[in-house]
Amino acid sequence: MATAVGTLLSAAVVTGAAQATAAPTAPRYQPAMIAALAHSLGVSEDAAVARLDQQAAQQGELTELGRSGVATDGAYFTADGKLTVNVTSAAAATQVRQHGLTARVPRRGEHTLDRIKASLDTQALRDAPDGVTSWSVDLPSDTVTVHVDPARTSAAAKSFLKAAASHGSAVRVVRDGRRLAPQSTVYPGSSMSWTNSQGSWVCSVGYGAHDSSGRQYLVSAGHCVADLTDLYFNNAHFAKGVHSRYALGRRSVDMGIAQVDTDDSIATQVGTWGQGSNVAVKGGKRAASGASLCKSGQTTGWTCGAVKSYNVSVTYTDEHGGPDTVVTGLASSSVCTEGGDSGGAYISGNQAQGMTSGGPTGQQCSGTNSRGSSYFQPLDDALSYYGLTLNTN
């Protein structure tokens, strides 16, 4: 059962009987992840491995900077794989360079942009801006970037854009938005399913974690456990939703947890849907913007891309005629997802990153290297909020 389930779920649910089976040794990087990165960069697989090693080493240096008390103001990977670190002084820039990283003194920086974005969140939460699909801090451009669907211009959207314009060049408006929705879907049979008054629903399994007493939890997208219902895998009960910060039509954060049954557990390897061996979860260190990552989900399987931005807010449209919902605290990526992938696991190297939240409605993916976009709930924020520790391999 451990093998079958590892193929079917983003992070497999295994029974107590399967727990005694020794897990196979995983390679440093999952082969399909290497192949996808090599394809997207147009380089050899050896060069792709070197790229991931370089990213990990640079992020290690960034961690050391923080430990030594160097004040930084955000960091991101450039297209050539170099980690650029925002700083506010020449002295800090010198220290950054001594660690082998690129330093930049931006006009604004992450902290200033976060304040601007927070003011736009406040505006959106007063009246959901239908037609404004997302807004986020974009470190490379040193702006808050707002994506707009030009075909939908609600009064709330016009008011939002007026507020955005008041910040001048600090806000960049891009008129390429597409209607977004949380990516759970009605399905007759599921990887992780539940039933409510509207029908039967399915999401994908995310990460396992535990509290200080050892109780085991599934960390998921909030809308996957919003009803706090019983959750099933292959028609067998394995968890029950106990908390969610997602509420249709209200200010929301797309994180939630379910308590796992005592005779079940969430495996510490992410399934890859036949695209090579499973990926061992070694930790949950957040990858910088621009880092490579892949996602496992029950609809599109194993798809790969890169982190775009953190601190992203979106307007989700309810496909069943309900009110729009503004969701804050997400991350965006170029990973392709579809309905039913919600809750599925994002991973960069061996570091768990988060769970699928949503994406463009009608998006179609075709294989590991599909071009697309998606939003995910960062795992570290969810673990911190609920006071949980990630289960690792």
Side-chain angles (χ1 to χ4, degrees), residues 286-297:
R286 180 180 291 204
S289 298
S292 302
L293 81 167
C294 293
K295 172 234 94 249
S296 184

Side-chain angles (χ1 to χ4, degrees), residues 193-195 227-232 237-241:
S193 66
W194 69 98
T195 301
D227 291 334
L228 306 185
T229 57
D230 295 299
L231 302 175
Y232 294 83
H237 188 282
F238 80 96
K240 178 177 176 55

Side-chain angles (χ1 to χ4, degrees), residues 185-343:
T185 187
V186 178
Y187 193 83
S190 66
S191 297
M192 184 179 87
S193 66
W194 69 98
T195 301
N196 61 17
S197 60
Q198 294 179 315
S200 296
W201 298 79
V202 61
C203 277
S204 301
V205 174
Y207 287 103
H210 60 276
D211 65 15
S212 59
S213 299
R215 284 186 292 267
Q216 295 293 318
Y217 294 90
L218 166 69
V219 186
S220 183
H223 71 272
C224 290
V225 295
D227 291 334
L228 306 185
T229 57
D230 295 299
L231 302 175
Y232 294 83
F233 168 72
N234 274 357
N235 297 317
H237 188 282
F238 80 96
K240 178 177 176 55
V242 293
H243 194 276
S244 174
R245 299 180 68 189
Y246 186 92
L248 184 67
R250 297 169 55 190
R251 176 175 183 164
S252 291
V253 177
D254 202 9
M255 64 172 69
I257 56 173
Q259 188 165 350
V260 179
D261 296 347
T262 56
D263 58 345
D264 294 318
S265 66
I266 309 299
T268 54
Q269 294 184 3
V270 177
T272 62
W273 294 79
Q275 300 300 310
S277 58
N278 295 343
V279 181
V281 178
K282 298 295 186 183
K285 182 185 296 183
R286 180 180 291 204
S289 298
S292 302
L293 81 167
C294 293
K295 172 234 94 249
S296 184
Q298 69 91 28
T299 304
T300 59
W302 187 246
T303 55
C304 299
V307 180
K308 289 184 178 179
S309 299
Y310 291 101
N311 193 13
V312 181
S313 297
V314 303
T315 304
Y316 280 152
T317 300
D318 182 58
E319 295 181 277
H320 302 278
D324 289 346
T325 303
V326 173
V327 178
T328 60
L330 298 176
S332 60
S333 80
S334 59
V335 174
C336 194
T337 58
E338 295 180 23
D341 283 330
S342 279

Side-chain angles (χ1 to χ4, degrees), residues 9 139 182 206 257:
L9 294 179
L139 291 178
I257 56 173

Side-chain angles (χ1 to χ4, degrees), residues 68-116:
S68 61
V70 178
T72 61
D73 199 14
Y76 60 93
F77 284 106
T78 56
D80 59 0
K82 294 180 180 179
L83 189 62
T84 297
V85 182
N86 286 340
V87 293
T88 58
S89 69
T94 298
Q95 290 176 290
V96 168
R97 296 187 188 102
Q98 288 173 347
H99 280 260
L101 306 177
T102 301
R104 181 181 77 162
V105 180
R107 179 179 176 184
R108 286 171 282 267
E110 186 173 47
H111 290 95
T112 296
L113 295 174
D114 279 345
R115 287 194 296 270
I116 293 171

